[in-house]
Amino acid sequence: MPAPTVPQIPHYEPAPETTQTLDYADLPIIDLSKADTVEGRAQLAVQVRDAMSNQGFFYIVGHGYSPEQMKRMFDIADIPFSQVSDEEKQKYVAPTKQTGSYQGYKLRQYWHIDGGVRDQVENYNINRDVNKRTHPEAVRPLLPEITQFARHSHKNVLNPVLRLMALGLEFPEDTLVNLHGWDTRSETYVRFMKYYPRSAEDEEKTKNVWLKGHTDFGTISILYSQPVAALQILARDGTWKWIKHIENAIVVNAGDAMEFLSGGFYRATIHRVVQPPPDQRQYTRLGIFYFCTADDDVRLAPLATSPLLQRVGFRRWFEKDEDAPLMVEWRKARTSAYGQTTLAKSTEEDCVEEEVINGVVVKHYN
C-alpha cells in the first residue's frame, strides 16, 4: 500500500546558530534509546534524578524522531502564524482569563512584561485530543500529523521520563505514568510559539527581558530544541545561564506540580526568555513544546510513601494533604493570572515580584 501523502506547506527556514560566546548551562544529556532495558533504565534514572534535583533541566537525545521529521514539524508549527489571517485568528483566541485554558491562540500584547511594554509572542495551543475544539482552516489538514506528534511526545518522551523519575524516587516505574493518562481529562497540550523581534525602545524599557523569570505550572515541560538563543535558567549561584541549542535534541524541565508531588525533591527551576544575541536579533524564534500536566483530579500533595523521600525528607506546602489543590485548580489559577495581575515587590529580593496563588507564593524574576 503506498504511503499516505501529506499536505504541501511552505518551508520555515530557521535562523543560523549564533556565533556569539555565551555562558551556557552545563546540563546532562540523557539518551532515551538506552531505556529499553531494565539495566539501562536503572542507569538513566540516576542521571535524571540528579539532574532534576540539582538543575531542574536536562537534554534528551535518542527520542525516536528523525531530523527530517522535526523539520516537517517546524514547518507545521509556523502555519498557525504565517498562513492564518489576523481576522481568522481572532475567532480562535483561547478563553484563558475566563476559564484558565490555553487552548487556541494567545495573541501578541496579551501579557504585560515590564515598564508598560506588552509581549510580542504568539502561541497556538492544541490539546493532545485535537478534536476538543475547532481550528483555523489552514491547520485542519495537518491535524493527523499533529495528533501523531502529540502521541509520540506523550508515549515516547513523557512516559519514559516519568518512569525514570519514578525510579529516582524508588517507586514502581509506572507510578507517575499512571497520573498522566493519554485518554484522561487534563490540559496536556502541544504549543507552537513564535517570538517576533521588538523595538529598541521596548528592549530598553524591559532590560532585554521578553518573558520574566518564572516556573511552569505543570509537571513536565518538553521543548524541542531550536537555534535562536534566548532561553536562560537561574543557576543556584544566582547567575543566568543560557540554554544551548543541540540539533534534534529536547530540553526537559520540571514544573510546579512535579515539585509539589515530589515534596520539593525535583526542582521547578526559574527560567526566562531574553533578547537573542546580536547575530540572531533579526529572526523570528519558532518553538514547539509539549506541556504536560497530571490528570485534573490529581491532588498536588507530596507522594510521601517514596522510600527516598522518607530518608531524605520532603517539603509540604500545605499543612494537610486535603488542602493541596487539584491539578485542575492549580492550572486554572496559574494560567488565568499569568501576565494579567499586578505583582508586588518582594520584601526579600529587589529583582523579584510576587503573587499568591492558592496560598502559594509565586515569584517572577526580572
Side-chain angles (χ1 to χ4, degrees), residues 20-37:
Q20 302 289 302
T21 300
L22 303 176
D23 186 12
Y24 289 113
D26 184 17
L27 301 180
I29 299 176
I30 306 299
D31 185 352
L32 273 191
S33 68
K34 297 180 180 179
D36 291 340
T37 65

PDB file of all heavy atoms in Angstrom, residues 20-37:
ATOM      1  N   GLN A  20      28.069  33.802  18.782  1.00  0.00           N
ATOM      2  CA  GLN A  20      28.478  34.531  19.977  1.00  0.00           C
ATOM      3  C   GLN A  20      28.936  33.561  21.071  1.00  0.00           C
ATOM      4  O   GLN A  20      28.447  32.417  21.163  1.00  0.00           O
ATOM      5  CB  GLN A  20      27.326  35.376  20.510  1.00  0.00           C
ATOM      6  CG  GLN A  20      26.775  36.377  19.502  1.00  0.00           C
ATOM      7  CD  GLN A  20      27.740  37.514  19.251  1.00  0.00           C
ATOM      8  OE1 GLN A  20      28.125  38.228  20.171  1.00  0.00           O
ATOM      9  NE2 GLN A  20      28.118  37.692  17.994  1.00  0.00           N
ATOM     10  N   THR A  21      29.851  34.011  21.900  1.00  0.00           N
ATOM     11  CA  THR A  21      30.275  33.218  23.052  1.00  0.00           C
ATOM     12  C   THR A  21      29.332  33.524  24.213  1.00  0.00           C
ATOM     13  O   THR A  21      29.283  34.653  24.714  1.00  0.00           O
ATOM     14  CB  THR A  21      31.721  33.566  23.454  1.00  0.00           C
ATOM     15  OG1 THR A  21      32.585  33.284  22.343  1.00  0.00           O
ATOM     16  CG2 THR A  21      32.153  32.746  24.663  1.00  0.00           C
ATOM     17  N   LEU A  22      28.549  32.526  24.643  1.00  0.00           N
ATOM     18  CA  LEU A  22      27.551  32.698  25.688  1.00  0.00           C
ATOM     19  C   LEU A  22      27.886  31.795  26.875  1.00  0.00           C
ATOM     20  O   LEU A  22      28.550  30.763  26.719  1.00  0.00           O
ATOM     21  CB  LEU A  22      26.154  32.363  25.155  1.00  0.00           C
ATOM     22  CG  LEU A  22      25.685  33.156  23.923  1.00  0.00           C
ATOM     23  CD1 LEU A  22      24.325  32.656  23.458  1.00  0.00           C
ATOM     24  CD2 LEU A  22      25.632  34.645  24.218  1.00  0.00           C
ATOM     25  N   ASP A  23      27.413  32.187  28.035  1.00  0.00           N
ATOM     26  CA  ASP A  23      27.634  31.413  29.262  1.00  0.00           C
ATOM     27  C   ASP A  23      26.535  30.352  29.364  1.00  0.00           C
ATOM     28  O   ASP A  23      25.469  30.591  29.935  1.00  0.00           O
ATOM     29  CB  ASP A  23      27.611  32.348  30.471  1.00  0.00           C
ATOM     30  CG  ASP A  23      27.987  31.634  31.775  1.00  0.00           C
ATOM     31  OD1 ASP A  23      28.477  30.485  31.704  1.00  0.00           O
ATOM     32  OD2 ASP A  23      27.778  32.233  32.855  1.00  0.00           O
ATOM     33  N   TYR A  24      26.817  29.175  28.798  1.00  0.00           N
ATOM     34  CA  TYR A  24      25.807  28.127  28.724  1.00  0.00           C
ATOM     35  C   TYR A  24      25.724  27.310  30.018  1.00  0.00           C
ATOM     36  O   TYR A  24      26.733  27.084  30.691  1.00  0.00           O
ATOM     37  CB  TYR A  24      26.115  27.174  27.569  1.00  0.00           C
ATOM     38  CG  TYR A  24      25.892  27.763  26.200  1.00  0.00           C
ATOM     39  CD1 TYR A  24      26.974  27.989  25.339  1.00  0.00           C
ATOM     40  CD2 TYR A  24      24.619  28.084  25.756  1.00  0.00           C
ATOM     41  CE1 TYR A  24      26.778  28.526  24.072  1.00  0.00           C
ATOM     42  CE2 TYR A  24      24.418  28.619  24.487  1.00  0.00           C
ATOM     43  CZ  TYR A  24      25.498  28.842  23.649  1.00  0.00           C
ATOM     44  OH  TYR A  24      25.302  29.377  22.407  1.00  0.00           O
ATOM     45  N   ALA A  25      24.510  26.858  30.326  1.00  0.00           N
ATOM     46  CA  ALA A  25      24.316  25.926  31.440  1.00  0.00           C
ATOM     47  C   ALA A  25      24.905  24.573  31.076  1.00  0.00           C
ATOM     48  O   ALA A  25      24.789  24.121  29.934  1.00  0.00           O
ATOM     49  CB  ALA A  25      22.832  25.787  31.758  1.00  0.00           C
ATOM     50  N   ASP A  26      25.523  23.935  32.034  1.00  0.00           N
ATOM     51  CA  ASP A  26      26.103  22.599  31.844  1.00  0.00           C
ATOM     52  C   ASP A  26      25.058  21.571  32.251  1.00  0.00           C
ATOM     53  O   ASP A  26      24.951  21.214  33.422  1.00  0.00           O
ATOM     54  CB  ASP A  26      27.380  22.457  32.671  1.00  0.00           C
ATOM     55  CG  ASP A  26      28.080  21.125  32.431  1.00  0.00           C
ATOM     56  OD1 ASP A  26      27.777  20.471  31.419  1.00  0.00           O
ATOM     57  OD2 ASP A  26      28.914  20.737  33.282  1.00  0.00           O
ATOM     58  N   LEU A  27      24.281  21.114  31.281  1.00  0.00           N
ATOM     59  CA  LEU A  27      23.168  20.211  31.566  1.00  0.00           C
ATOM     60  C   LEU A  27      23.476  18.796  31.091  1.00  0.00           C
ATOM     61  O   LEU A  27      24.099  18.613  30.038  1.00  0.00           O
ATOM     62  CB  LEU A  27      21.888  20.698  30.877  1.00  0.00           C
ATOM     63  CG  LEU A  27      21.392  22.096  31.244  1.00  0.00           C
ATOM     64  CD1 LEU A  27      20.108  22.402  30.467  1.00  0.00           C
ATOM     65  CD2 LEU A  27      21.163  22.218  32.746  1.00  0.00           C
ATOM     66  N   PRO A  28      23.020  17.787  31.828  1.00  0.00           N
ATOM     67  CA  PRO A  28      23.223  16.399  31.391  1.00  0.00           C
ATOM     68  C   PRO A  28      22.458  16.113  30.101  1.00  0.00           C
ATOM     69  O   PRO A  28      21.416  16.730  29.828  1.00  0.00           O
ATOM     70  CB  PRO A  28      22.657  15.575  32.552  1.00  0.00           C
ATOM     71  CG  PRO A  28      22.542  16.519  33.709  1.00  0.00           C
ATOM     72  CD  PRO A  28      22.335  17.872  33.130  1.00  0.00           C
ATOM     73  N   ILE A  29      22.983  15.165  29.318  1.00  0.00           N
ATOM     74  CA  ILE A  29      22.316  14.701  28.104  1.00  0.00           C
ATOM     75  C   ILE A  29      21.896  13.253  28.333  1.00  0.00           C
ATOM     76  O   ILE A  29      22.735  12.382  28.559  1.00  0.00           O
ATOM     77  CB  ILE A  29      23.240  14.814  26.887  1.00  0.00           C
ATOM     78  CG1 ILE A  29      23.656  16.284  26.660  1.00  0.00           C
ATOM     79  CG2 ILE A  29      22.553  14.259  25.642  1.00  0.00           C
ATOM     80  CD1 ILE A  29      24.656  16.468  25.538  1.00  0.00           C
ATOM     81  N   ILE A  30      20.583  13.009  28.281  1.00  0.00           N
ATOM     82  CA  ILE A  30      20.025  11.683  28.542  1.00  0.00           C
ATOM     83  C   ILE A  30      19.666  11.028  27.210  1.00  0.00           C
ATOM     84  O   ILE A  30      18.883  11.588  26.434  1.00  0.00           O
ATOM     85  CB  ILE A  30      18.760  11.782  29.426  1.00  0.00           C
ATOM     86  CG1 ILE A  30      19.049  12.563  30.716  1.00  0.00           C
ATOM     87  CG2 ILE A  30      18.212  10.395  29.727  1.00  0.00           C
ATOM     88  CD1 ILE A  30      20.088  11.950  31.606  1.00  0.00           C
ATOM     89  N   ASP A  31      20.227   9.864  26.938  1.00  0.00           N
ATOM     90  CA  ASP A  31      19.950   9.136  25.703  1.00  0.00           C
ATOM     91  C   ASP A  31      18.815   8.140  25.961  1.00  0.00           C
ATOM     92  O   ASP A  31      19.029   7.076  26.539  1.00  0.00           O
ATOM     93  CB  ASP A  31      21.207   8.403  25.229  1.00  0.00           C
ATOM     94  CG  ASP A  31      21.018   7.737  23.881  1.00  0.00           C
ATOM     95  OD1 ASP A  31      19.877   7.707  23.372  1.00  0.00           O
ATOM     96  OD2 ASP A  31      22.018   7.240  23.329  1.00  0.00           O
ATOM     97  N   LEU A  32      17.594   8.517  25.536  1.00  0.00           N
ATOM     98  CA  LEU A  32      16.428   7.676  25.815  1.00  0.00           C
ATOM     99  C   LEU A  32      16.478   6.331  25.104  1.00  0.00           C
ATOM    100  O   LEU A  32      15.756   5.407  25.487  1.00  0.00           O
ATOM    101  CB  LEU A  32      15.141   8.404  25.421  1.00  0.00           C
ATOM    102  CG  LEU A  32      14.500   9.324  26.449  1.00  0.00           C
ATOM    103  CD1 LEU A  32      13.109   9.736  25.979  1.00  0.00           C
ATOM    104  CD2 LEU A  32      14.424   8.683  27.827  1.00  0.00           C
ATOM    105  N   SER A  33      17.309   6.211  24.072  1.00  0.00           N
ATOM    106  CA  SER A  33      17.404   4.921  23.378  1.00  0.00           C
ATOM    107  C   SER A  33      17.965   3.840  24.297  1.00  0.00           C
ATOM    108  O   SER A  33      17.826   2.647  24.012  1.00  0.00           O
ATOM    109  CB  SER A  33      18.266   5.054  22.120  1.00  0.00           C
ATOM    110  OG  SER A  33      19.629   5.311  22.454  1.00  0.00           O
ATOM    111  N   LYS A  34      18.598   4.237  25.399  1.00  0.00           N
ATOM    112  CA  LYS A  34      19.156   3.274  26.348  1.00  0.00           C
ATOM    113  C   LYS A  34      18.138   2.823  27.391  1.00  0.00           C
ATOM    114  O   LYS A  34      18.476   2.047  28.289  1.00  0.00           O
ATOM    115  CB  LYS A  34      20.367   3.887  27.050  1.00  0.00           C
ATOM    116  CG  LYS A  34      21.525   4.216  26.104  1.00  0.00           C
ATOM    117  CD  LYS A  34      22.695   4.824  26.842  1.00  0.00           C
ATOM    118  CE  LYS A  34      23.853   5.145  25.889  1.00  0.00           C
ATOM    119  NZ  LYS A  34      25.002   5.778  26.599  1.00  0.00           N
ATOM    120  N   ALA A  35      16.889   3.323  27.282  1.00  0.00           N
ATOM    121  CA  ALA A  35      15.869   2.996  28.284  1.00  0.00           C
ATOM    122  C   ALA A  35      15.084   1.738  27.929  1.00  0.00           C
ATOM    123  O   ALA A  35      14.077   1.437  28.571  1.00  0.00           O
ATOM    124  CB  ALA A  35      14.914   4.175  28.443  1.00  0.00           C
ATOM    125  N   ASP A  36      15.558   0.988  26.945  1.00  0.00           N
ATOM    126  CA  ASP A  36      14.828  -0.202  26.515  1.00  0.00           C
ATOM    127  C   ASP A  36      15.051  -1.394  27.433  1.00  0.00           C
ATOM    128  O   ASP A  36      14.310  -2.381  27.364  1.00  0.00           O
ATOM    129  CB  ASP A  36      15.232  -0.587  25.085  1.00  0.00           C
ATOM    130  CG  ASP A  36      14.751   0.420  24.056  1.00  0.00           C
ATOM    131  OD1 ASP A  36      13.804   1.177  24.381  1.00  0.00           O
ATOM    132  OD2 ASP A  36      15.323   0.465  22.954  1.00  0.00           O
ATOM    133  N   THR A  37      16.075  -1.340  28.270  1.00  0.00           N
ATOM    134  CA  THR A  37      16.369  -2.461  29.152  1.00  0.00           C
ATOM    135  C   THR A  37      16.244  -2.023  30.614  1.00  0.00           C
ATOM    136  O   THR A  37      16.345  -0.826  30.935  1.00  0.00           O
ATOM    137  CB  THR A  37      17.790  -2.993  28.926  1.00  0.00           C
ATOM    138  OG1 THR A  37      18.743  -1.981  29.311  1.00  0.00           O
ATOM    139  CG2 THR A  37      18.010  -3.353  27.459  1.00  0.00           C
TER     140      THR A  37
END
